[in-house]
Amino acid sequence: MIPVPLSPQPVVSEAETWRPRFHYTPSQHWMNDPNGLCFFDGEYHLYYQYNPLGIDWGHISWGHAVSTDLATWQELPVAIADTDRSMAFSGSVVVDHDNAGGFALVGAAAPALVAFFTGFDPVTKIQSQHLAYSLDRGRSYTRYAGNPVIDIGSTEFRDPKVFWYAPKQRWVMLVVAALHQQVWFYTSTDLRQWDKVSTFGPAGSAAGNIWEVPELFELPVDGDAAHRRWVLVVSVNHGSLWGGSGVQYFVGDFDGECFAADPSEPANPAPGSNALPAIAHITLWADHGRDFYAPITFANLPDERVLWLGWVSNWDYARALPTPAWRGQQSGVRQLDLAATPRGTRLRQRMADEMLALVEPEACVALRAMPATRAAAGLATANVNERQCVARLSVLASSIATPIGFELFKGKAEAVKVGFDPQQNTFFVDRRTALPKFAGQSERHDAQRLLDAREITLEAWVDGSVLEVFCDDGTVVLTDLVYAEIDATGVGLFHGAENPQVERLDVHTVRSTLKAPTG
Ligand code: FRU
C-alpha cells in the first residue's frame, strides 16, 4: 500500500469511458476488497472497503450496495463507519437464523445479520477481530459492546471469514496471521466466544509474501455432487504471479477444525515445458492476470451455487489508477466449481447466469466454421465498436501453429491482444499497448493451458477498463485492467499464416446496469 507516482490526470470524459457499466464501482471515492457478501430477504449485499472521505485509502469503513438480481447494484450509505480508534477492515457476514449470538430482538421474526471484521486501531496499529450486528436488513450495523471478540495483540492479524459448519453444528472462523503466512481456525457456538482449533501454512507461494483475506468453501468436481472437495483461498500480497498482489488456493479436505491440502498435486509446468514437476503444495493461482484480489463468496444463497467476486486491482499500483472520481472496481459475479484436468483438480470460474442475462441476444457478429482469414474479414466488415461487450472464440486446436485471438480495445494503431499461444501452450493477455502506462506496469500475462480438448475457447468480457478472460470453459482465467484511449473500441481477430479453423466467433453487446446512488 505504498503510493506510487501518479500519471498525469486524464480529462474527466476519458476517465468516464473507463468507468465500467456492468461491474460495480462506487460513484466516488476509494474502494478495495469486497466484504460481507451475502443474500438476505430477497437482496444481495455487497459491502466493501471504502473511504467515504476521499480518493485514496484511508478512514476505512464498509461501503454498501444492494441488488435484487446480482447485476444491478444500488449504492447505499456506509454500513459500518470507522471510528477514531477502529477502522473496519475486511471481513464477512453471516445470517444468524437461530439467534445463536442473541442479537435479534426478543420475539422478532427476522434474524440478525452479523458482520465480522478486523478492527484496526490507527494509534496502536493493533488488529483484532470485531463483530457488529444489523437488525434493519443490513442497512446499518451496531458494534458489539464486547468487542474485540479475538485479540492476540498483533498488528498483522486480520480478515475474519465466518461460516456455519453443519456436520459439527458450530461456527468456524478463519483469520490470517499475515506475516506468518498462516490461516488460524477458530470455532464457536455463540458467535462471541471463539476457541482456536488449528493453523494452516505457510504453504504455496514464495516466502516474504503476506497472507490476507482467507476463504474456504466446498465445491463439486465436474458437477458431481457426490464428489466434493474443499478449497482454501488466500490472497497474497507482493511476490504473486506477476508481482504485487494475487490469489492462491489449495484443494484439500476440511473436517470442521483442520484443513489438509492435497500433498502432491502436479504443478502447472513452466510455459514452454511439458514436464510436470512433482512439488508438494505448489502454488495454484485463481487468476492469472494482474488485477484480481481478495475475492470472497456470497453467504446464505438461496441455491446450491458458490458465487464470488473480487477487487479488480493490484496493490502495486491501486493508488495510481487514473480515474479521478472513483478508484477501484469489483469483478463480475462468477460461479465456481472444480474441474478434473489432466494436470490436477483445478478451480473453474464462469460468469454467473445473472451476468449472462445482461448480454444482448442479438449478436454484433456471429460466424461459424470457417478459416481464420474469412472470420477476420467478417469481423472487420461488421465493424464492431464496443467498450461493453463479450467476445467469444473457438478454434480447432490442431489447426493452430502460431498465436491466435482477439484484438480488443482496438484503436487507430494499438490493441490489447487476448489469445492462445500454441508454442507455449498458454493463454495470454497482452496489454502492453494500453494507455496510460501507470507505474510501468502494463505487460503480457501468460497462463498454462490445462485441458487437451479439441477446441480452444476464449470468452473475453470488456467493460470500460475491466477485462475478464475465461479460457477453456473457465479453467484458466485472466483479469486485467486496461486504460485504453477513448476511441479504442474496435474488436478484431489476429492469427498466423497457417490460417486456423475458427469454429465459432461472436461478439455481443453487454447492457449497462449503472445506477445513481441514493442518499
Ligand atoms: C487486502 C487488505 C486486507 C485488509 C484490507 C484493508 O486488500 O489489505 O488484508 O483488511 O485490505 O483495507
Side-chain angles (χ1 to χ4, degrees), residues 320-372:
L321 300 187
T323 49
W326 84 99
R327 199 169 273 149
Q329 39 282 316
Q330 305 296 345
S331 74
V333 179
R334 303 175 182 178
Q335 180 171 350
L336 307 179
D337 76 346
L338 288 167
T341 81
R343 292 180 172 80
T345 306
R346 295 288 188 271
L347 197 59
R348 174 164 47 200
Q349 305 174 67
R350 305 177 177 116
M351 280 297 198
D353 289 347
E354 290 85 346
M355 302 291 296
L356 295 170
L358 301 175
V359 176
E360 293 289 358
E362 189 163 334
C364 305
V365 57
L367 306 169
R368 297 287 179 270
M370 61 180 66

Side-chain angles (χ1 to χ4, degrees), residues 54-361:
I55 192 68
D56 207 346
W57 188 93
H59 290 284
I60 288 296
S61 304
W62 278 28
H64 189 198
V66 289
S67 170
T68 53
D69 63 3
L70 269 184
T72 310
W73 294 97
Q74 182 81 46
E75 188 171 344
L76 294 178
V78 161
I80 305 177
D82 76 318
T83 68
D84 285 352
R85 296 299 297 271
S86 179
M87 291 196 205
F89 274 16
S90 286
S92 51
V93 163
V94 296
V95 180
D96 186 9
H97 292 287
D98 297 329
N99 202 22
F103 298 114
L105 298 176
V106 178
L113 301 190
V114 184
F116 289 85
F117 61 93
T118 297
F120 170 68
D121 183 333
V123 177
T124 62
K125 313 286 185 217
I126 297 287
Q127 300 181 355
S128 54
Q129 311 325 316
H130 292 226
L131 73 78
Y133 54 92
S134 172
L135 305 178
D136 60 355
R137 302 175 72 229
R139 297 317 190 259
S140 66
Y141 284 80
T142 304
R143 288 173 183 249
Y144 170 49
N147 281 334
V149 291
I150 305 178
D151 183 3
I152 59 166
S154 168
T155 56
E156 296 282 353
F157 182 57
R158 57 183 176 272
D159 307 339
K161 160 72 191 185
V162 176
F163 66 98
W164 176 247
Y165 186 76
K168 291 201 171 148
Q169 290 290 296
R170 52 190 170 175
W171 301 95
V172 176
M173 183 195 291
L174 285 66
V175 190
V176 287
L179 297 184
H180 297 285
Q181 301 174 325
Q182 283 188 331
V183 177
W184 290 13
F185 289 81
Y186 293 80
T187 59
S188 172
T189 52
D190 66 1
L191 293 171
R192 302 173 186 224
Q193 170 69 41
W194 293 91
D195 300 315
K196 188 176 173 201
V197 288
S198 75
T199 67
F200 174 83
S205 78
N209 295 335
I210 56 169
W211 282 19
E212 300 185 314
V213 192
E215 178 49 289
L216 180 66
F217 43 82
E218 200 181 18
L219 290 176
V221 181
D222 288 330
D224 180 357
H227 182 200
R228 302 168 74 83
R229 306 302 315 282
W230 286 85
V231 178
L232 175 67
V233 180
V234 278
S235 288
V236 297
N237 197 1
H238 307 303
S240 76
L241 193 55
W242 307 110
S245 44
V247 181
Q248 69 170 330
Y249 69 95
F250 305 88
V251 179
D253 289 317
F254 180 65
D255 63 3
E257 291 190 354
C258 299
F259 177 82
D262 292 349
S264 54
E265 283 267 300
N268 293 346
S273 141
N274 290 319
L276 293 178
I279 306 168
H281 295 319
I282 49 91
T283 305
L284 302 177
W285 298 100
D287 194 293
H288 289 79
R290 200 128 195 265
D291 297 306
F292 185 72
Y293 199 60
I296 55 168
T297 59
F298 281 85
N300 199 45
L301 283 180
D303 52 53
E304 290 295 299
R305 293 181 299 170
V306 179
L307 303 177
W308 77 0
L309 57 80
W311 177 45
V312 180
S313 196
N314 188 310
W315 276 119
D316 262 7
Y317 45 70
R319 294 169 111 156
L321 300 187
T323 49
W326 84 99
R327 199 169 273 149
Q329 39 282 316
Q330 305 296 345
S331 74
V333 179
R334 303 175 182 178
Q335 180 171 350
L336 307 179
D337 76 346
L338 288 167
T341 81
R343 292 180 172 80
T345 306
R346 295 288 188 271
L347 197 59
R348 174 164 47 200
Q349 305 174 67
R350 305 177 177 116
M351 280 297 198
D353 289 347
E354 290 85 346
M355 302 291 296
L356 295 170
L358 301 175
V359 176
E360 293 289 358

Side-chain angles (χ1 to χ4, degrees), residues 378-434:
L379 183 54
T381 308
N383 193 23
V384 178
N385 276 297
E386 291 292 343
R387 202 62 171 250
Q388 272 75 38
C389 66
V390 55
R392 299 188 177 100
L393 178 69
S394 304
V395 188
L396 203 57
S398 60
S399 71
I400 311 170
T402 55
I404 182 168
F406 283 116
E407 296 173 312
L408 302 171
F409 300 92
K410 192 170 168 176
K412 283 178 214 72
E414 299 177 326
V416 171
K417 285 188 174 172
V418 171
F420 174 68
D421 181 338
Q423 277 127 26
Q424 306 278 330
N425 200 30
T426 56
F427 293 99
F428 64 89
V429 170
D430 186 345
R431 63 173 185 177
R432 277 176 289 190
T433 61

